[in-house]
Amino acid sequence: MEINTTITVLITIVSVGILSTLVYLVSTVRSLKDRVGTLALEMVDFHTYVDNQEVENARKHEKFSDDVEIRFDRVHRKVSKNQEEVYQNLDRLETKLPEKIRTVIGHIEFARPLDNKINKG
């Protein structure tokens, strides 16, 4: 009978060990399940944050592009206006310069002052 009792005690000890191991494993699995759930929620929050950042950066880029385009348009208009003024001045100079040269040469040839006044001195 002693062997049966010893076997029963050993089986009980092994059963208690297996049960405690199973309880530990169930506890660990529950803890991991909770942690995985928390990580899943954190991933969703992170993706939402990244998506919001992308949208915000896209808006900033679009606004910057619009501002740059407006500034380039303003500069282009100013340059075009200045260019037109330069061409007009060149045209005026082109038409008036030969006459002025002739007048100056005439004054030099005949030794007349440019203002047609005689210097009294």
Side-chain angles (χ1 to χ4, degrees):
M1 187 78 150
E2 200 172 293
I3 292 183
N4 280 342
T5 311
T6 306
I7 290 175
T8 304
V9 169
L10 286 175
I11 289 174
T12 305
I13 291 173
V14 169
S15 296
V16 168
I18 290 173
L19 281 175
S20 67
T21 303
L22 286 175
V23 167
Y24 171 75
L25 289 175
V26 167
S27 170
T28 303
V29 167
R30 284 183 182 158
S31 173
L32 289 174
K33 181 182 171 191
D34 291 343
R35 184 67 183 142
V36 166
T38 302
L39 288 174
L41 291 175
E42 288 176 2
M43 275 182 27
V44 168
D45 289 344
F46 178 73
H47 282 294
T48 302
Y49 171 78
V50 168
D51 289 344
N52 289 339
Q53 288 295 342
E54 287 179 359
V55 168
E56 184 179 337
N57 286 338
R59 285 183 189 145
K60 286 180 181 177
H61 181 270
E62 188 174 325
K63 184 181 180 314
F64 178 76
S65 295
D66 290 345
D67 289 346
V68 167
E69 188 174 328
I70 288 169
R71 288 180 184 178
F72 277 137
D73 286 345
R74 287 179 184 162
V75 167
H76 177 71
R77 275 187 262 141
K78 282 187 174 187
V79 166
S80 293
K81 183 180 176 185
N82 289 341
Q83 185 179 13
E84 288 174 18
E85 289 176 7
V86 166
Y87 285 140
Q88 288 172 357
N89 287 337
L90 281 175
D91 286 342
R92 271 189 247 124
L93 185 62
E94 204 172 72
T95 57
K96 293 181 180 179
L97 186 61
E99 181 62 33
K100 287 191 180 216
I101 291 173
R102 277 188 222 107
T103 305
V104 169
I105 290 174
H107 287 293
I108 291 172
E109 286 178 349
F110 299 110
R112 289 184 291 175
L114 290 177
D115 59 3
N116 290 330
K117 293 181 182 175
I118 299 174
N119 290 334
K120 296 179 182 176

